[in-house]
């Protein structure tokens, strides 16, 4: 005779277990009612890659579904972002090789591609859309590093001076929020002071505070054309080692002290423990960047029919919200806004 029907079985007592968590999972209405975290269009930031006038729009082989677009298309996509309710876009320039130089002077040209694009978008969207511009030299340097190279090393303080000028030309062009992605020491404070001195008191800073030296950036470097020429092959002397956790807290503490308005963790999925630690340590907005390599993985598996795209994308973003993200940069932003 089986245990199940014997009189001293836990089943026979009829009250086992007292707590049944499945009660709150029985129907869609109750699952909705108890839901702890949710994803909304308000969480999304959409990155766009922009090409100079006269170049043919093209797709990025390692990022199917993402294209490098003209300024006019970027304006159209910005309007689409507004109509989808996406709060902000992040712009990245595809600089033609002839405009790249060892010291990346094009970064501080007030009429460079990113400034032209920002002005064009601003004219059309007014204040209905946030425009975020990256601060770093890699789109502009022939060696693909984020700063100035002296004797094979990316030098800190001299780079920071150039980043301050880059920040100012972008602020002048109408960018709402600057996102320094370069990981030089002290750049947040220096950029904040430069902006204030130039009268841009309300231009915000979203610091890439915990940015790791990650292999997940590969497709992005293909997209902006900095992969093939990346001298040194990596950015490990300034981006963080993937083993580091306490150091992320230290980075965030410094950036906040220096005047960052929001901080970022990048990449996303492999670093959600860092997001959670930052949210528990500091009561500030934390943005997570679902980077190009994460996009490529989700896309590739979906294209092969190995994963259900909509489900895995929404799950990956909800996981970021659960970890504590207050905003998410994702190449899926427009698609997600449509799904939601
Ligand atoms: C450049 C920059 C990178 C990304 C955003 N800004 C690449 C890098 O640091 O090499 C990566 C974004 C992505 O992979 O989606 N400073």
């Amino acid at each position: 005779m089986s245990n199940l029907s014997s009189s001293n079985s836990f089943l026979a007592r009829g009250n086992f277990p007292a707590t049944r968590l499945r009660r709150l999972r029985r129907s869609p209405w109750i699952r909705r009612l108890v839901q702890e975290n949710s994803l909304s269009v308000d969480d999304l930031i959409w990155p766009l890659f922009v090409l100079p006038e006269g170049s043919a729009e093209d797709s990025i082989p390692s990022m199917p579904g993402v294209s490098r677009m003209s300024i006019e298309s970027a304006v159209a996509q910005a309007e689409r972002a507004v109509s989808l309710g996406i709060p902000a876009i992040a712009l990245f320039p595809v600089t033609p090789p002839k405009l790249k130089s060892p010291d990346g002077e094009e970064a501080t040209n007030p009429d460079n591609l990113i400034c032209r694009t920002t002005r064009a978008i601003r004219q059309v969207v007014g204040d209905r859309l946030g425009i975020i511009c990256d601060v770093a030299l890699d789109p502009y340097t022939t060696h693909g590093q984020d700063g100035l190279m002296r004797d094979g090393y990316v030098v800190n303080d001299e780079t920071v001076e150039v980043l301050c000028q880059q920040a100012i030309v972008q602020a002048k062009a109408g960018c709402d929020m600057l996102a320094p992605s370069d990981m030089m020491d002290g750049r947040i404070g220096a950029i904040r002071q430069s902006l204030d001195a130039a009268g841009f008191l309300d231009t915000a800073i979203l610091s890439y505070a915990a940015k790791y030296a990650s292999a997940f950036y590969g497709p992005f470097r293909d997209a902006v054309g900095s992969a093939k020429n990346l001298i040194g092959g990596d950015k490990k002397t300034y981006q963080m080692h993937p083993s580091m956790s306490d150091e992320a807290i230290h980075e965030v503490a410094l950036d906040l002290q220096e005047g960052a308005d929001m901080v970022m963790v990048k990449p996303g999925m492999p670093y959600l423990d860092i997001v959670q630690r930052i949210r528990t340590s500091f009561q500030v907005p934390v943005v997570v960047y679902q980077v190009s390599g994460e996009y490529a993985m989700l896309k590739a598996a979906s294209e092969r029919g190995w994963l259900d795209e909509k489900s895995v994308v929404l799950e990956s973003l909800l996981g970021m919200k659960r970890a504590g993200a207050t905003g998410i940069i994702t190449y899926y932003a427009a698609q997600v806004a449509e799904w939601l």
Side-chain angles (χ1 to χ4, degrees):
M1 198 161 66
S2 96
N3 260 349
L4 295 182
S5 55
S6 78
S7 59
N8 61 354
S9 151
F10 60 84
L11 283 176
R13 289 196 299 274
N15 66 342
F16 176 86
T19 302
R20 292 181 185 270
L21 291 173
R22 291 186 58 192
R23 287 187 196 114
L24 304 187
R25 298 179 195 139
R26 262 189 88 103
S27 309
W29 70 265
I30 201 154
R31 291 197 292 269
R32 277 197 288 131
L33 189 66
V34 299
Q35 185 166 331
E36 295 178 41
N37 293 285
S38 60
L39 178 69
S40 112
V41 66
D42 295 334
D43 298 317
L44 305 173
I45 299 171
W46 189 20
L48 300 177
F49 296 108
V50 189
L51 289 165
E53 295 82 348
S55 342
E57 303 215 348
D58 60 359
S59 51
I60 303 152
S62 48
M63 300 180 75
V66 176
S67 51
R68 287 176 282 225
M69 61 188 79
S70 65
I71 296 180
E72 303 80 75
S73 300
V75 172
Q77 297 302 337
E79 289 184 281
R80 182 168 163 230
V82 171
S83 65
L84 288 168
I86 293 173
I89 55 172
L91 298 176
F92 295 100
V94 183
T95 310
K98 65 177 193 307
L99 288 179
K100 295 190 183 187
S101 60
D103 284 0
E105 282 89 353
E106 181 65 6
T108 59
N109 172 3
D111 205 30
N112 67 19
L113 175 57
I114 216 69
C115 293
R116 296 198 299 279
T117 309
T118 301
R119 283 193 293 266
I121 293 175
R122 176 63 66 217
Q123 215 173 19
V124 171
V125 301
D127 65 358
R128 295 175 300 156
L129 183 71
I131 303 177
I132 302 173
C133 294
D134 218 60
V135 180
L137 301 185
D138 56 315
Y140 308 99
T141 52
T142 38
H143 46 72
Q145 294 286 352
D146 290 19
L148 305 175
M149 278 186 103
R150 302 289 179 250
D151 301 323
Y153 184 68
V154 176
V155 290
N156 197 89
D157 301 8
E158 205 186 330
T159 296
V160 171
E161 282 186 36
V162 182
L163 297 177
C164 290
Q165 295 168 34
Q166 181 185 22
I168 288 185
V169 299
Q170 294 183 150
K172 275 191 182 140
C175 149
D176 300 285
M177 190 179 285
L178 293 159
S181 69
D182 56 284
M183 291 296 280
M184 296 300 112
D185 287 323
R187 90 277 204 215
I188 300 300
I191 291 171
R192 183 71 270 160
Q193 284 174 24
S194 306
L195 288 171
D196 289 355
F200 296 104
L201 302 180
D202 291 326
T203 304
I205 298 179
L206 163 57
S207 168
Y208 284 70
K211 176 170 179 178
Y212 287 85
S214 171
F216 285 97
Y217 307 149
F220 175 97
R221 293 178 190 168
D222 293 339
V224 300
S226 67
K228 290 185 292 292
N229 50 351
L230 183 58
I231 306 260
D234 63 57
K235 302 186 177 182
K236 290 180 183 168
T237 72
Y238 45 103
Q239 297 178 348
M240 289 169 57
H241 190 272
S243 73
M244 305 305 266
S245 177
D246 286 344
E247 191 188 44
I249 303 299
H250 198 169
E251 282 281 3
V252 169
L254 287 172
D255 286 1
L256 291 174
Q257 215 177 323
E258 291 176 29
D261 299 283
M262 321 217 291
V263 293
M264 196 194 301
V265 174
K266 175 183 177 187
M269 214 145 65
Y271 296 89
L272 295 184
D273 56 319
I274 305 299
V275 178
Q276 187 167 42
R277 279 196 73 182
I278 294 174
R279 270 310 290 282
T280 22
S281 307
F282 306 95
Q283 283 63 51
V284 298
V286 178
V287 170
V288 176
Y289 200 141
Q290 180 178 57
V291 300
S292 56
E294 297 175 70
Y295 174 88
M297 288 196 300
L298 294 167
K299 197 68 177 183
S302 303
E303 280 188 343
R304 291 177 185 209
W306 292 349
L307 291 173
D308 177 59
E309 186 170 30
K310 180 176 170 184
S311 310
V312 290
V313 170
L314 293 178
E315 183 178 333
S316 69
L317 301 178
L318 184 58
M320 291 170 186
K321 288 298 300 289
R322 189 191 62 245
T326 48
I328 303 171
I329 305 184
T330 173
Y331 300 96
Y332 274 112
Q335 175 78 81
V336 168
E338 276 160 11
W339 284 333
L340 294 175

